[in-house]
Amino acid sequence: MYAQMVKSTGTMKTREEMDERERAFQDRIDAGEKIEPQDWMPEGYRKTLIRQIGQHAHSEIVGQLPEGNWITRAPTLERKAILLAKVQDEAGHGLYLYCAAETLGVSRDEMTEKLHDGKMKYSSIFNYPTLTWADIGAVGWLVDGAAIMNQVALQRTSYGPYSRAMVRICKEESFHQRQGYSIMMKMASGTPEQKRMAQDALDRLWYPSLMMFGPSDKDSVHSAQSMAWKIKVSTNDELRQKFVDQTVPQAEYLGLTVPDENLKWNEEKGGYDFSEPDWQEFHDVLAGNGPCNADRMAARRTAWEDGAWYRDGLVAHANKRAAQRMAAE
Amino acid sequence: MSALVEFALRMGDNTLVLGHRVSEWCGHAPVLEEDIALANTALDLIGQTQMWLGLAGDLEGKGRTADDLAYKRDVWDFRNLLLVERPNGDFGQTLMRQFLFDAWHHPMLTWLSENSKHERVADIARKAEREAAYHLERSTDLIIRLGDGTDESHRRMQDALAYHWTYTGEMFEADAVDRELADAGVAPDPAAMKPGWDALVGDVLAEATLEVPDNHFVHKGGRKGQHTEHLGHILAAMQFLPRAYPDARW
Ligand SMILES: [Fe+2]
Ligand SMILES: [Fe+2]
Ligand SMILES: [Fe+2]
């Protein structure tokens, strides 16, 4: 999802292996209590959370780029305004999430630098391009749709500030998804060219959206500890299944074809059978070889480096004012 | 074209083109708070555009909507100030353009909301005025902080001021349209806005330790449809979809 393959630090311990503090901590989590910044927590819990919340925050920030790509070309003033509001929301999500991560003793600047040095990741989905206006619809519908699956679950995560950030974010995400779907409705019921754009967007973004949930549970090495700590609350496959089950009827309603020959309703499990994405592609994208990785990172680094004089200027001004106040006292 | 339609186009084209410019920063600002603030500013400006161009279309009476006016006119029919189409440059250049515009825009909207004899004009101005007040507050604050920041930020802000300065005079030029509207009590005489602007800009630049450029040349033409080379490129991007797919509904 926005947090994919987050490495959890520390090996899973049995109750017997835990010391007293660790046992008390686990008991609180098992009882559904929220952990707050001032509470004691195992180092592994803290580090794993920083990675996950940081990755989530970075995803919101990098996620501005593929959508920002169409703001100047939005086809009506209304669509332009809606897209601007959406991208503004995403930047706001980044801000809440960085604040949540900062409660764990890491600064936003540190996390930003790690992102720029390639030491922290962002979701693979934002390394795919937005090539036509229908992609803006598909991103809202599928990408925000997938994000919601995960984030709704994460409202129940054990870390208080993260959980509260998710509650705020979820309200906005469902609005984004509806707006995206509304673009898809127009496109899918529009001119032949618009329909072609809509189908093409679904063809290109379907599997990358499924990848957002991360590798299959059987290959997901970091999940067990994160689940025990309730940093993760649902497994990758559970969420992916839920997403497919929700999205396929929406695609049908649009009159679009999900690009999967194996897609079939399975009465017995009460869900769809579907093809897995190409995991090799997923690993290639994570390794930096997606279609947009280099451009996304270059854009973020340039923004940061070109903005250094601005940030320094503000700090210098604040220092001057503080010195003046001191002198006046 | 009636003077009122012309006036509504001038107001709406200013906010449309500046909104476009500001939105070009999306995801590229120096700090996350600026990404948010710029998206918010662009959003306000696009919202104001919908009101002004909507009014222009209604008054014109040919059934053109705000979108028709935004997406289906060529450069020579655009009526915005040259200032707002000037390139973003570095962040200082963008901020300076915003400040110089806000220092005119906010008092203009205030006048319209308090005095305009045209009800819809006054109404739109009332809605836009609150947003413009916030834009002015924000740009003023940043001009002061960056002007009086580091040597580099000071130099960049001074350069930005020089870059835009000769494009500010156009805001105070009056033509037949302005005179007709001023006589009818619909809009202020543009020249009457100048002393207030000079005072405000002078105070802010002084606090920012920036020098008012000693160049009194005035570039003009935007309000008559004679633009810089930049506007054509803005429209090429903005209008691409409706132009390429004229039968489509979005
Ligand atoms: Fe978001
Ligand atoms: Fe998002
Ligand atoms: Fe979203």
Side-chain angles (χ1 to χ4, degrees):
Chain A
M1 161 46 350
Y2 277 18
Q4 294 157 325
M5 301 190 67
V6 174
K7 223 169 81 200
S8 49
T9 299
T11 42
M12 274 285 270
K13 288 184 184 172
T14 60
R15 269 195 89 73
E16 292 70 52
E17 290 165 338
M18 291 178 190
D19 66 27
E20 208 171 310
R21 273 194 314 188
E22 289 168 336
R23 248 196 308 273
F25 179 81
Q26 190 63 49
D27 287 343
R28 290 186 61 197
I29 290 194
D30 294 343
E33 275 180 49
K34 294 282 181 241
I35 307 302
E36 295 300 334
Q38 65 282 2
D39 297 345
W40 181 86
M41 60 187 81
E43 195 51 19
Y45 177 85
R46 196 181 68 85
K47 285 193 171 145
T48 307
L49 265 175
I50 288 175
R51 265 189 231 114
Q52 177 163 332
I53 301 174
Q55 185 172 322
H56 193 158
H58 295 328
S59 299
E60 302 283 0
I61 302 312
V62 178
Q64 293 179 95
L65 297 170
E67 294 189 279
N69 183 39
W70 279 91
I71 289 178
T72 58
R73 293 177 292 168
T76 70
L77 294 172
E78 179 79 25
R79 292 285 181 209
K80 193 189 287 285
I82 291 169
L83 185 55
L84 272 165
K86 178 187 198 263
V87 176
Q88 186 190 358
D89 286 347
E90 304 299 6
H93 297 170
L95 200 56
Y96 311 154
L97 286 161
Y98 283 127
C99 291
E102 283 185 322
T103 63
L104 293 158
V106 59
S107 76
R108 200 208 304 180
D109 284 3
E110 276 172 70
M111 287 182 276
T112 301
E113 280 175 14
K114 281 193 174 159
L115 171 70
H116 295 170
D117 294 343
K119 291 182 191 142
M120 281 182 91
K121 302 225 174 285
Y122 56 92
S123 176
S124 57
I125 191 70
F126 301 117
N127 291 310
Y128 290 86
T130 51
L131 299 178
T132 75
W133 175 249
D135 289 12
I136 296 305
V139 166
W141 172 37
L142 301 174
V143 176
D144 286 83
I148 292 166
M149 286 289 150
N150 193 45
Q151 291 169 358
V152 165
L154 281 174
Q155 293 178 358
R156 292 180 284 118
T157 193
S158 61
Y159 189 56
Y162 192 26
S163 158
R164 288 188 291 274
M166 285 301 122
V167 172
R168 283 179 79 175
I169 288 174
C170 279
K171 289 191 190 124
E172 292 174 353
E173 297 294 8
S174 50
F175 187 66
H176 298 166
Q177 197 203 11
R178 277 202 300 278
Q179 296 297 347
Y181 196 69
S182 135
I183 293 177
M184 293 308 281
M185 294 268 282
K186 280 278 186 199
M187 299 299 281
S189 64
T191 65
E193 291 100 333
Q194 284 177 300
K195 282 183 197 155
R196 183 180 163 202
M197 288 182 214
Q199 182 61 54
D200 173 64
L202 177 57
D203 289 347
R204 280 182 291 105
L205 288 165
W206 174 255
Y207 288 107
S209 299
L210 297 188
M211 291 175 199
M212 288 175 67
F213 300 96
S216 172
D217 295 346
K218 58 185 188 303
D219 305 317
S220 189
V221 279
H222 311 297
S223 283
Q225 178 66 77
S226 286
M227 298 282 288
W229 277 332
K230 292 193 190 160
I231 290 175
K232 251 179 118 140
V233 286
S234 312
T235 74
N236 297 351
D237 286 334
E238 281 165 14
L239 289 169
R240 190 166 16 246
Q241 181 70 52
K242 237 174 140 175
F243 174 74
V244 171
D245 293 344
Q246 172 186 291
T247 309
V248 169
Q250 294 170 345
E252 281 167 1
Y253 186 77
L254 291 171
L256 299 178
T257 309
V258 174
D260 181 358
E261 287 176 357
N262 300 317
L263 187 75
K264 192 169 86 249
W265 179 255
N266 180 333
E267 193 59 56
E268 208 173 309
K269 78 171 177 186
Y272 285 91
D273 290 332
F274 59 95
S275 302
E276 295 222 352
D278 175 355
W279 292 116
Q280 185 55 49
E281 176 182 319
F282 175 70
H283 289 290
D284 287 341
V285 172
L286 286 193
N289 294 317
C292 299
N293 295 58
D295 290 341
R296 300 284 186 249
M297 286 311 295
R300 291 308 308 162
R301 283 195 200 103
T302 304
W304 187 247
E305 285 160 16
D306 288 356
W309 72 268
Y310 165 92
R311 298 188 301 274
D312 294 346
L314 295 190
V315 171
H317 180 80
N319 290 341
K320 278 186 198 177
R321 285 292 155 100
Q324 281 163 3
R325 272 195 303 276
M326 291 270 278
E329 269 161 23
Chain B
M1 199 184 298
S2 85
L4 250 174
V5 174
E6 188 74 18
F7 177 74
L9 287 177
R10 288 174 180 182
M11 294 300 286
D13 288 345
N14 279 338
T15 51
L16 176 58
V17 174
L18 186 59
H20 182 100
R21 277 295 190 220
V22 173
S23 78
E24 289 173 345
W25 275 99
C26 181
H28 303 279
V31 64
L32 185 49
E33 284 80 355
E34 283 298 335
D35 273 318
I36 296 173
L38 291 173
N40 190 55
T41 302
L43 185 56
D44 288 345
L45 292 170
I46 297 306
Q48 293 174 22
T49 303
Q50 288 175 290
M51 297 192 282
W52 287 122
L53 295 187
L55 175 64
D58 289 349
L59 293 173
E60 184 192 48
K62 292 183 190 160
R64 291 203 284 182
T65 63
D67 280 346
D68 292 333
L69 290 168
Y71 288 93
K72 295 192 177 143
R73 285 177 299 151
D74 203 344
V75 280
W76 50 34
D77 290 327
F78 270 73
R79 295 291 182 258
N80 58 280
L81 298 162
L82 298 177
L83 176 69
V84 297
E85 68 200 48
R86 305 273 285 152
N88 284 344
D90 69 2
F91 201 68
Q93 194 170 305
T94 291
L95 274 176
M96 187 58 78
R97 182 186 59 203
Q98 187 73 41
F99 168 65
L100 296 170
F101 177 77
D102 293 341
W104 168 83
H105 195 215
H106 180 252
M108 177 68 167
L109 292 170
T110 304
W111 191 99
L112 294 173
S113 66
E114 287 170 359
N115 305 304
S116 181
K117 295 222 162 66
H118 193 281
E119 211 174 303
R120 269 187 77 185
V121 167
D123 217 46
I124 293 173
R126 256 190 299 280
K127 289 179 192 138
E129 183 271 328
R130 267 165 296 184
E131 294 169 345
Y134 178 68
H135 299 171
L136 176 59
E137 192 187 308
R138 216 183 82 78
S139 60
T140 297
D141 176 57
L142 285 170
I143 295 298
I144 293 168
R145 287 156 74 187
L146 292 168
D148 187 18
T150 60
D151 289 347
E152 184 183 1
S153 72
H154 177 85
R155 176 184 58 74
R156 284 176 182 266
M157 297 315 284
Q158 189 69 55
D159 289 350
L161 185 59
Y163 182 76
H164 292 305
W165 188 250
T166 52
Y167 288 83
T168 56
E170 192 182 14
M171 299 188 281
F172 312 107
E173 294 280 326
D175 61 9
V177 168
D178 297 302
R179 280 187 288 273
E180 186 183 330
L181 294 177
D183 287 346
V186 172
D189 170 6
M193 308 298 292
K194 183 131 184 5
W197 187 88
D198 283 339
L200 171 62
V201 169
D203 286 351
V204 171
L205 293 181
E207 199 178 340
T209 70
L210 296 171
E211 251 172 72
V212 176
D214 185 26
N215 184 347
H216 300 285
F217 187 80
V218 177
H219 286 283
K220 52 194 166 198
R223 299 162 86 238
K224 285 191 307 205
Q226 287 158 17
H227 290 274
T228 67
E229 287 178 348
H230 305 294
L231 185 61
H233 294 277
I234 291 176
L235 298 188
M238 186 197 303
Q239 299 179 339
F240 154 67
L241 280 173
R243 297 265 193 205
Y245 303 99
D247 301 329
R249 293 285 164 276
W250 306 98

